[in-house]
Amino acid sequence: MPHITVQMYPGRSDEIKAKLAKVLAETASRELGREIEHFSVSIEDVPQDEWTDKVYKKITDPDNKDVFVRPGY
């Protein structure tokens, strides 16, 4: 607890993903006042042709109260 999931288009290296995961875990740890050992981060590559169904429809749904920052596109 807690777990952070990032969904994005494929194409970034494992090195970049690892850096992002570390920064997200460190930031969440600081903001939530918990030790970093309590956090996990996964990164899911979602192909562009699957983005609308797997991600876009959920994150732009105004009734989805789980999304706190919505995209501006």
Side-chain angles (χ1 to χ4, degrees):
M1 121 76 214
H3 178 75
I4 300 165
T5 302
V6 176
Q7 294 174 302
M8 61 184 173
Y9 288 166
R12 288 158 183 99
S13 69
D14 285 348
E15 180 182 354
I16 289 172
K17 292 176 185 179
K19 286 171 125 177
L20 174 61
K22 182 178 181 207
V23 169
L24 290 172
E26 289 170 345
T27 301
S29 170
R30 183 177 60 249
E31 293 300 317
L32 296 176
R34 303 279 307 202
E35 297 297 321
I36 198 162
E37 295 82 22
H38 297 278
F39 294 85
S40 58
V41 179
S42 63
I43 298 178
E44 177 187 355
D45 287 335
V46 179
Q48 188 172 359
D49 63 336
E50 297 175 17
W51 187 260
T52 298
D53 289 330
K54 285 190 171 182
V55 181
Y56 182 79
K57 288 179 181 178
K58 288 189 267 185
I59 63 174
T60 59
D61 178 356
D63 294 326
N64 185 343
K65 304 300 183 207
D66 293 332
V67 179
F68 288 89
V69 178
R70 297 190 188 278
Y73 54 83

